Amino acid sequence: MAAAKRKRGDGPAPKKKRAKKAPKEAAEKEPPSVAKAGAEEHQVPPPVSQGKWTNKERVLIFSSRGINFRTRHLMKDLRTLMPHSKADTKMDRKDKLFVINEVCEIKNCNKCIFFEAKKKQDLYMWLSNAPQGPSAKFLVQNIHTLAELKMTGNCLRGSRPLLSFDSAFDKHPHYALLKELFIQIFSTPQYHPKSQPFVDHVFTFSIVDHRIWFRNYQIVEEDATLVEIGPRFVLNLIKVFQGSFGGQTLYENPHYQSPNMHRRAIRLATAAKFREKQQMKELQKVKRKEEKTLIPKDPTEAVFETPAEEKPVEIQLVKPEPKPRLKKKNKLYQRQRKLKRKLGRTAA
C-alpha cells in the first residue's frame, strides 16, 4: 500500500532558534509572551545608514615637481575636503603624462586631479577620468588657500558637499561635459567609510568672463545663509581631450591666452610706451632747431610812434676836475678807536 502524502502543517512544528550563549533550559521554560517582551526590551536600534558603499569613486590628487608653497597648500586643502581622495609622490617632469594612468591603476583610482607646474610661476590643472577619458586641462589663477584666507566659515571634516552649478553649464555641450566631470570628481560617494552622513557645505562653480570660479561655502543652520570657508581659485579652460591626458581634441577655448603671450603683450606695451616718449623728445629737439618763420613787416606798426629828441653830442677835450673827497683819510676805524681809548685808561 502506497504511503499517504503528508499535508502541510501536519508535521511537527519547527524548533525555535535560541540566542547564542543562552542556556537551553531557560529558553525552554520561559513562556513565549515573556520571551517576546524581553527581546523588545533589550533590542538595540539599527544604525542610521544601513546602505552599502556602491559608488566607489576614488580620486588621486598629486602634482609634478617644481610647484610652489601655495600649490602645495591647495592640494592639502582639496585632500581635506574630499575624503575619497588619495595622495602620491610628486611625478618627475621628464615623464610623459600617460604614465599617470598606470599610477591611477596602481592606486586603485578612477579619477585624477594632477597639478602641473611650469617655469615655477605657471600652474596647470588636469581633471581626468582614468583610463578611458575624457580629460580637461585648465590654467589655475587667483589661488587663495584656507590658511591664507582666514574665513569665518567652518564645516565638519569628511562631510558630503552640495554641488551648485551656474545655469550656463546646461547651455553649451563642453560645459555640460565639464559639469559631469566635476560631479564625479568632487562629490563624495554615499556611505563612504571616511565620510560623515552630514551635508553642511556647498561647492559652487560659476562661469564669469569665460572662466570657472570655484568657491566653498558653509550652510548656517539658523537662517540657511552661506559663509565662505575656502579655498578659492579660478579655472581657465584650455582644451578638452577625448582620452585620459591626451587624445583627440574635443574642444579648444578661443578666449584662452597663454601666460607667455600675456607677459609678452605686457612687455611690448611697455616698450611701445617708452618708444613713444623717445619719439616725442626727438620731435621737440627738431622743432627747436628749425628756424623761426619770418613774419612780414606791418606798414601800420609805426604809425603812433613819436621820435625822441636828438641830444647834441658833446666831446670833452679837458680832463674833468676830481670830485672833493668827503671821507677823512686819517680817520680811525671803530676797532682802532676802542683800542686807543683802552690804552688811554690804562696809562691814566
Side-chain angles (χ1 to χ4, degrees):
M1 188 175 177
K5 290 184 179 180
R6 187 175 60 185
K7 294 182 181 179
R8 290 183 180 179
D10 292 349
K15 295 182 179 180
K16 293 183 180 180
K17 293 183 180 180
R18 61 185 179 85
K20 291 183 179 180
K21 298 182 181 180
K24 188 176 180 181
E25 296 177 358
E28 290 176 355
K29 292 179 182 178
E30 194 175 21
S33 60
V34 177
K36 187 176 181 182
E40 290 179 357
E41 184 179 356
H42 300 287
Q43 187 177 4
V44 179
V48 177
S49 61
Q50 294 180 338
K52 293 182 180 180
W53 179 32
T54 56
N55 179 19
K56 299 194 176 184
E57 296 281 354
R58 299 181 184 89
V59 183
L60 181 64
I61 302 176
F62 72 117
S63 67
S64 64
R65 298 192 181 275
I67 61 172
N68 54 10
F69 70 97
R70 185 172 275 111
T71 308
R72 187 171 66 251
H73 285 281
L74 177 62
M75 280 198 308
K76 186 178 177 181
D77 295 342
L78 289 178
R79 289 170 186 164
T80 305
L81 293 172
M82 300 166 64
H84 61 293
S85 63
K86 289 187 177 182
D88 195 22
T89 57
K90 294 179 182 179
M91 195 181 75
D92 195 356
R93 285 182 290 183
K94 294 181 181 178
D95 295 339
K96 300 294 182 182
L97 294 178
F98 295 103
V99 182
I100 302 176
N101 296 325
E102 299 178 4
V103 178
C104 291
E105 187 177 357
I106 294 169
K107 288 285 184 178
N108 197 17
C109 297
N110 51 3
K111 298 290 184 297
C112 181
I113 299 178
F114 177 68
F115 291 94
E116 185 181 7
K118 290 185 179 180
K119 293 187 177 182
K120 296 184 179 180
Q121 55 182 345
D122 302 330
L123 180 64
Y124 298 91
M125 178 192 284
W126 286 84
L127 299 179
S128 175
N129 180 23
Q132 293 87 10
S135 60
K137 185 179 181 181
F138 301 90
L139 174 67
V140 188
Q141 299 172 331
N142 301 335
I143 301 173
H144 298 282
T145 59
L146 277 170
E148 182 184 1
L149 288 174
K150 296 181 181 178
M151 293 289 185
T152 57
N154 192 11
C155 65
L156 184 67
R157 184 186 180 96
S159 60
R160 301 180 66 240
L162 293 175
L163 300 185
S164 174
F165 291 92
D166 195 352
S167 59
F169 277 95
D170 299 327
K171 296 179 181 178
H172 304 283
H174 59 280
Y175 282 140
L177 178 62
L178 292 178
K179 178 181 178 181
E180 184 64 28
L181 196 60
F182 288 145
I183 290 173
Q184 295 182 12
I185 289 177
F186 287 96
S187 63
T188 303
Q190 195 173 10
Y191 308 120
H192 191 276
K194 293 183 180 179
S195 66
Q196 301 291 338
F198 303 103
V199 179
D200 58 355
H201 63 288
V202 185
F203 289 162
T204 61
F205 299 88
S206 306
I207 298 176
V208 180
D209 194 19
H210 305 289
R211 290 172 175 83
I212 300 172
W213 298 61
F214 175 85
R215 295 290 184 271
N216 181 21
Y217 296 98
Q218 176 199 359
I219 303 174
V220 183
E221 295 182 1
E222 288 77 9
D223 50 356
T225 56
L226 299 179
V227 181
E228 188 171 358
I229 305 172
R232 57 164 68 170
F233 52 87
V234 179
L235 300 176
N236 192 358
L237 179 62
I238 302 174
K239 285 183 180 181
V240 179
F241 299 96
Q242 185 176 5
S244 178
F245 296 98
Q248 185 181 358
T249 303
L250 299 179
Y251 176 78
E252 185 174 0
N253 188 7
H255 306 284
Y256 170 72
Q257 186 182 26
S258 65
N260 294 331
M261 294 297 294
H262 182 65
R263 286 190 287 266
R264 183 173 179 271
I266 292 174
R267 288 197 302 269
L268 289 176
T270 308
K273 192 175 181 181
F274 179 75
R275 200 179 302 114
E276 185 179 357
K277 284 184 178 180
Q278 293 296 110
Q279 290 177 356
M280 289 299 295
K281 287 181 181 179
E282 292 177 1
L283 185 62
Q284 288 175 359
K285 288 180 181 178
V286 171
K287 284 184 177 180
R288 288 171 190 169
K289 289 181 181 179
E290 286 181 357
E291 295 181 359
K292 296 180 180 180
T293 56
L294 296 175
I295 301 173
K297 191 175 181 180
D298 189 6
T300 61
E301 185 178 358
V303 172
F304 299 99
E305 288 184 1
T306 55
E309 296 180 359
E310 295 182 2
K311 294 182 179 180
V313 181
E314 295 180 358
I315 301 173
Q316 293 182 359
L317 302 176
V318 183
K319 184 179 178 181
E321 294 180 0
K323 293 181 180 180
R325 188 163 182 171
L326 301 175
K327 191 174 181 181
K328 294 180 181 180
K329 256 187 180 181
N330 300 326
K331 187 177 180 182
L332 299 174
Y333 292 102
Q334 186 179 2
R335 180 172 53 84
Q336 293 174 347
R337 291 197 300 269
K338 284 182 179 180
L339 184 61
K340 190 176 179 180
R341 283 195 222 106
K342 190 175 182 182
L343 290 173
R345 288 172 192 163
T346 53

